[in-house]
């Protein structure tokens, strides 16, 4: 059937008519969940950009659109793109021809409405956000419709109520299962460069092409460096009582030779340059100080000893960091090419457990107060009212799994890190270099971020300037947070902890995007002290990528750990002859019940290490596990 053909059967499926009963009972006069602007934005992106079009058709169905004329236009756009060559874009004349031939031009509102959609001004890089919001509304309508069917059946005395309940439950569960998190490792998706505003976007793209690496290797250290430059000067306020600081912890995971270090260095270039200038200034000031001190006669006031402005550190003990934070109230960036050194520094020179240092680091992630007790020096106690420390660095996969101990994982230390593990790329020589103008704009942006200062109240206490959200930004943020939290409700362990921290990161990334725009002199920004919906939408795109990437990484590590466990079990079974019943396996594993032993053996079957065989023993069926690999001779 022609997808544009409207028949009596599918015209009766107009969603306006199919989801009204229950919604009227719950809230009279309220239309079913839908968003006309989102629908128009998606159709606009589909018209003007092939990549956005492909993303949309991979994710959406005709019925995801609430308005019937948008469903018709969706089908027409697909039909038109099917006739477009691979190296060409969609022509509105071709779309008009498709609509006229099918007799649906007037159904969508005529040529004027088609042109209105094409000129709607949607941001093509936000297509994933638009799709997510549309799918959310579509799922709500489907839930209403399925509940309505159950409600009607519940009124019917000829229908068994148990059957009705089971049908409704099964129907609703099918909606949930479509959005479930897969346990299978998924393919790596490249970092969404377009979600970053200028000049960070151009610098990231140029740097990745220059190094020949995935942009993710540079993006995460870049975000941490930007957060470190902002520090305690700004924070985001989602509502009264809920603020998030400009603190980002990130880790790039990769084996040696995967371009971690060059990417790390190019992302941090502006802050490293600024730190070098500060060190040179400090050396000059110290020389003057010593000269003035030598000239100072007895009884005269001695000159003040100069201090060095610190922006970036690699000394990672809490005691040393406390001293630096005391003279750098705005905060610091801890950058280590290899984060293994940071993990190894926990409770350095201390005989106790690692809890005290870890608690201090967790407070720094939230930019909370920190007390540092010192055993040496004149000052025995250092108090930091707002200890803001962003962290970034690289780490090898094996070291990450060993270095972050079970204690670190249970405390949520690992979950606080934004992770990326791009696949290794073959290194190819290129003469490409970062454009000088693009690099200068990026460095200037950093200078502007570093110039942002904390506010001071009447008592002289410094505090961050709180940036709120516009009503339009809240309209994006609130549904996203609700959907994010709902989608993670069934997660467990490390994935659940990471999911929870990504809620906070959606706000922190909104702050980062906004401040990049401020420091980059974005002319479209109306108010520097209020975060608009464009910044939130971009942050949602970034957060969604980070969400997918974190799940992918955790799944890979889980699969690797499961494989290692299976191989150990197989070796033990092989030593016992390569076969055995669950009871025999339980007896050989003194702390295992027969049921637990059966589960272990089932894990081996699922991993294709063996199979269960059923044989007759004394007239009864007996189940035994048999290894595919015979025991070593």
């Amino acid at each position: 059937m022609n997808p544009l053909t409207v028949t009596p059967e599918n015209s009766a499926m107009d969603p306006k008519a199919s989801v009204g009963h229950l919604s009227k009972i719950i809230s009279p006069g309220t239309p079913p969940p839908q968003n006309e602007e989102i629908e128009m934005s998606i159709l606009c992106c589909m018209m003007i950009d092939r990549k956005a079009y492909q993303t949309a058709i991979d994710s959406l169905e005709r019925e995801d659109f609430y308005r019937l004329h948008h469903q018709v236009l969706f089908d027409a756009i697909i039909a038109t793109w099917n006739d477009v060559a691979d190296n060409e874009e969609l022509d509105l004349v071709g779309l008009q021809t498709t609509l006229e031939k099918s007799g649906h031009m007037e159904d969508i509102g005529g040529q004027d409405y088609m042109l209105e959609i094409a000129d709607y001004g949607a941001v093509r890089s936000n297509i994933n956000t638009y799709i997510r919001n549309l799918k959310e509304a579509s799922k709500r309508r489907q839930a209403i419709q399925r509940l309505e069917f159950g409600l009607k059946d519940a009124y019917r005395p000829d229908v068994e109520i148990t059957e009705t309940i089971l049908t409704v439950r099964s129907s609703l569960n099918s909606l949930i299962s479509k959005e479930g998190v897969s346990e299978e490792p998924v393919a790596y998706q490249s970092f969404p460069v377009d979600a970053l505003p200028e000049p960070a976007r151009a610098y990231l793209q140029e740097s990745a092409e220059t190094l020949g690496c995935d942009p993710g290797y540079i993006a995460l250290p870049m975000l941490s460096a930007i957060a470190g430059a902002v520090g305690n000067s700004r924070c985001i306020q989602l509502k009264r009582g809920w603020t998030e600081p400009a603190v980002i912890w990130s880790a790039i995971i990769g084996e040696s030779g995967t371009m971690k270090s060059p990417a790390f260095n190019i992302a941090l270039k502006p802050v490293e340059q600024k730190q070098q200038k500060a060190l040179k200034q400090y050396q000059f000031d110290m020389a003057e100080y010593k000269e003035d001190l030598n000239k100072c006669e007895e009884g005269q006031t001695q000159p003040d000893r100069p201090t060095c402005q610190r922006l970036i550190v690699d000394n990672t003990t809490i005691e040393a960091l406390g001293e630096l934070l005391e003279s750098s109230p705005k905060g610091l960036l801890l950058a280590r090419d290899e984060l293994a050194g940071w993990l190894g520094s926990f409770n350095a020179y201390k005989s106790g457990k690692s809890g005290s240092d870890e608690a201090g680091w967790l407070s720094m992630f939230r930019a909370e107060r920190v007390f540092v007790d010192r055993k040496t020096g004149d000052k025995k106690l250092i108090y930091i009212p707002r200890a803001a420390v962003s962290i970034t660095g690289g780490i090898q996969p094996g070291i990450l799994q060993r270095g972050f101990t079970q204690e670190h994982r249970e405390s949520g230390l690992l979950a606080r890190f934004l992770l990326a593990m791009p696949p290794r790329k073959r290194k190819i020589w290129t003469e490409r270099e970062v454009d000088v103008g693009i690099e200068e704009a990026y460095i200037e942006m950093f200078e502007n971020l570093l110039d942002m200062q904390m506010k001071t109240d009447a008592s002289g206490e410094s505090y961050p300037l709180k940036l709120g959200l516009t009503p339009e930004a809240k309209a994006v943020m609130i549904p996203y947070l609700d959907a994010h939290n709902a989608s993670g409700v069934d997660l467990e362990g490390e994935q659940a902890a990471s999911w929870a921290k990504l809620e906070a990161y959606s706000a922190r990334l909104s702050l980062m995007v906004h401040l990049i725009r401020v420091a980059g002199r974005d002319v479209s920004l109306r108010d520097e002290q209020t975060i608009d919906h464009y910044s939130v939408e971009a942050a949602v795109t970034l957060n969604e990528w980070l969400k997918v990437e974190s799940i992918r990484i955790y799944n890979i590590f889980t699969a690797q750990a499961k494989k290692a466990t299976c191989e150990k079990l197989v070796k033990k079974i092989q030593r016992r002859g390569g076969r055995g019943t669950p009871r025999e396996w339980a007896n050989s594993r003194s702390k295992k019940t027969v049921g637990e032993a059966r589960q272990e053996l089932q894990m081996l079957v699922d991993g294709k290490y063996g199979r269960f065989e059923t044989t007759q023993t004394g007239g009864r069926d007996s189940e035994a596990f048999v290894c595919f690999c015979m025991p070593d001779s």
Side-chain angles (χ1 to χ4, degrees):
M1 180 190 295
N2 187 323
L4 298 178
T5 301
V6 179
T7 67
E9 290 77 17
N10 62 31
S11 64
M13 295 298 289
D14 184 345
K16 293 181 181 179
S18 62
V19 292
H21 185 66
L22 186 61
S23 61
K24 287 179 181 177
I25 293 174
I26 296 171
S27 181
T30 302
Q34 46 85 26
N35 189 316
E36 183 177 14
E37 292 181 356
I38 291 295
E39 293 189 7
M40 295 175 69
S41 296
I42 291 174
L43 294 170
C44 173
C45 290
M46 290 179 67
M47 288 184 188
I48 64 176
D49 185 77
R50 178 184 289 273
K51 186 177 179 181
Y53 159 76
Q54 192 61 53
T55 301
I57 65 171
D58 287 345
S59 307
L60 298 175
E61 301 290 340
R62 185 180 200 267
E63 291 73 20
D64 287 326
F65 291 86
Y66 172 69
R67 286 165 173 75
L68 192 57
H69 59 285
H70 286 168
Q71 294 181 6
V72 173
L73 186 54
F74 177 75
D75 287 340
I77 293 172
I78 293 175
T80 306
W81 269 110
N82 287 339
D83 294 330
V84 176
D86 291 342
N87 61 343
E88 296 178 357
E89 295 296 321
L90 183 140
D91 184 356
L92 290 180
V93 174
L95 177 58
Q96 179 176 341
T97 301
T98 301
L99 286 163
E100 289 174 345
K101 283 184 176 179
S102 63
H104 290 302
M105 177 58 81
E106 295 306 316
D107 292 340
I108 70 157
Q111 184 185 42
D112 289 344
Y113 190 72
M114 182 190 74
L115 295 175
E116 180 184 347
I117 293 287
D119 293 334
Y120 192 64
V123 181
R124 65 191 72 184
S125 61
N126 290 336
I127 185 64
N128 288 317
T129 302
Y130 299 146
I131 290 172
R132 186 165 48 253
N133 290 336
L134 185 69
K135 294 289 286 186
E136 173 73 14
S138 175
K139 189 192 290 187
R140 289 180 183 276
R141 293 197 303 275
Q142 291 178 63
I144 292 171
Q145 186 177 23
R146 295 173 191 202
L147 288 170
E148 181 182 10
F149 289 141
L151 184 63
K152 289 177 179 178
D153 282 348
Y155 275 105
R156 294 175 54 188
D158 60 319
V159 178
E160 191 69 40
I161 188 61
T162 301
E163 180 183 344
T164 298
I165 293 171
L166 291 174
T167 301
V168 171
R169 185 171 69 180
S170 175
S171 180
L172 293 175
N173 282 341
S174 70
L175 288 178
I176 297 172
S177 64
K178 291 178 181 179
E179 302 297 327
V181 178
S182 171
E183 295 181 357
E184 296 297 323
V186 297
Y188 176 76
Q189 299 177 18
S190 187
F191 184 85
V193 177
D194 288 345
L196 286 178
E198 299 291 1
R201 179 196 305 168
Y203 185 76
L204 174 59
Q205 188 67 56
E206 286 266 323
S207 299
E209 292 175 2
T210 297
L211 295 179
C213 69
D214 186 87
Y217 269 130
I218 303 169
L220 266 61
M222 175 188 285
L223 288 169
S224 289
I226 289 170
V230 176
N232 279 321
S233 68
R234 302 290 186 273
C235 68
I236 181 173
Q237 182 173 32
L238 286 88
K239 62 179 181 179
R240 188 164 57 86
W242 185 4
T243 60
E244 291 291 338
V247 174
I248 292 180
W249 291 6
S250 64
I252 296 299
I253 307 168
E255 300 287 357
S256 179
T258 53
M259 302 299 290
K260 294 195 309 293
S261 296
F264 180 79
N265 293 334
I266 205 166
L268 270 59
K269 186 173 183 178
V271 68
E272 291 280 9
Q273 288 183 347
K274 184 74 173 180
Q275 185 63 79
Q276 288 298 322
K277 290 180 182 178
L279 288 170
K280 288 181 179 179
Q281 183 63 47
Y282 172 69
Q283 292 170 352
F284 176 79
D285 293 341
M286 277 299 296
E288 282 194 337
Y289 163 76
K290 291 178 180 179
E291 185 177 341
D292 292 343
L293 191 63
N294 290 332
K295 293 179 181 178
C296 187
E297 298 180 359
E298 188 176 349
Q300 288 184 327
T301 303
Q302 293 187 352
D304 293 331
R305 186 182 182 89
T307 58
C308 179
Q309 179 190 18
R310 294 302 296 270
L311 306 172
I312 187 168
V313 296
D314 57 13
N315 190 331
T316 53
T317 65
I318 288 289
E319 186 171 329
L321 201 56
E323 296 179 30
L324 294 171
L325 284 169
E326 188 177 34
S327 59
S328 305
K330 188 181 174 184
L332 294 166
L333 170 67
L334 190 151
R336 298 281 300 240
D337 189 34
E338 289 291 342
L339 283 173
W342 175 69
L343 290 169
S345 73
F346 274 33
N347 296 287
Y349 319 116
K350 298 179 185 178
S351 58
K353 294 183 178 180
S354 64
S356 58
D357 270 13
E358 186 167 321
W361 283 109
L362 296 179
S363 294
M364 291 178 191
F365 177 79
R366 298 185 294 268
E368 293 178 340
R369 62 175 174 80
V370 170
F371 293 96
V372 180
D373 295 305
R374 304 175 66 212
K375 293 183 179 180
T376 60
D378 297 332
K379 204 169 186 177
K380 298 299 183 182
L381 174 65
I382 297 177
Y383 169 62
I384 313 297
R386 290 185 177 85
V389 180
S390 290
I391 301 175
T392 189
I395 193 165
Q396 295 186 35
I399 294 175
L400 183 143
Q401 295 184 71
R402 294 191 303 271
F404 281 97
T405 64
Q406 189 62 31
E407 181 182 341
H408 298 332
R409 295 165 190 259
E410 290 175 356
S411 71
L413 187 72
L414 175 59
R416 285 163 168 78
F417 276 85
L418 301 180
L419 303 175
M421 190 167 66
R424 182 192 293 267
K425 281 188 174 182
R426 183 166 63 92
K427 192 172 181 180
I428 301 175
W429 175 266
T430 175
E431 297 285 346
R432 183 77 179 264
E433 295 180 353
V434 177
D435 180 82
V436 174
I438 289 175
E439 182 175 304
E440 289 176 348
Y442 181 64
I443 292 173
E444 182 183 356
M445 178 201 77
F446 254 94
E447 293 281 354
N448 293 335
L449 292 171
L450 291 167
D451 287 342
M452 293 179 180
Q453 299 301 317
M454 300 172 69
K455 300 298 179 182
T456 306
D457 62 19
S459 66
E461 183 179 350
S462 297
Y463 63 93
L465 176 64
K466 296 177 181 178
L467 307 185
L469 300 173
T470 65
E472 295 81 6
K474 277 196 170 185
V476 176
M477 178 68 80
I478 294 172
Y480 173 71
L481 292 180
D482 288 344
H484 170 78
N485 290 324
S487 63
V489 72
D490 293 326
L491 296 178
E492 297 177 352
E494 295 174 357
Q495 289 188 357
S498 175
W499 210 264
K501 296 300 174 285
L502 284 168
E503 178 187 34
Y505 269 123
S506 63
R508 298 185 186 196
L509 291 169
S510 297
L511 178 63
M512 294 302 99
V513 172
H514 173 77
L515 293 177
I516 292 172
R517 294 172 65 195
V518 171
R521 312 298 190 204
D522 186 345
V523 295
S524 69
L525 199 61
R526 295 183 179 180
D527 183 359
E528 292 188 0
Q529 297 189 15
T530 310
I531 298 172
D532 63 23
H533 67 288
Y534 294 111
S535 294
V536 174
E537 287 174 349
V540 165
T541 300
L542 295 173
N543 213 52
E544 283 297 293
W545 181 86
L546 291 161
K547 182 191 300 185
V548 172
E549 179 64 358
S550 69
I551 293 296
R552 186 184 75 89
I553 291 169
Y554 282 124
N555 283 346
I556 288 173
F557 289 161
T558 299
Q560 290 174 345
K562 185 179 289 187
K563 180 181 179 183
T565 299
C566 287
E567 289 175 350
K568 287 181 181 179
L569 293 176
V570 167
K571 287 181 179 178
K572 291 181 179 179
I573 294 174
Q574 286 176 334
R575 288 197 293 268
R576 296 178 57 84
R579 64 179 296 132
T581 66
R583 184 170 296 281
E584 290 171 340
W585 184 236
N587 291 337
S588 71
R589 311 258 292 163
S590 59
K591 294 184 180 180
K592 295 286 183 181
T593 66
V594 175
E596 290 170 337
R598 177 67 169 73
Q599 289 179 348
E600 278 191 343
L601 296 174
Q602 183 62 53
M603 180 174 66
L604 297 180
V605 172
D606 294 340
K608 305 295 189 289
Y609 291 94
R611 68 178 183 274
F612 281 118
E613 288 185 353
T614 302
T615 58
Q616 286 278 334
T617 305
R620 299 176 60 184
D621 288 342
S622 176
E623 184 182 54
F625 173 82
V626 180
C627 277
F628 286 145
C629 300
M630 295 303 294
D632 297 333
S633 56

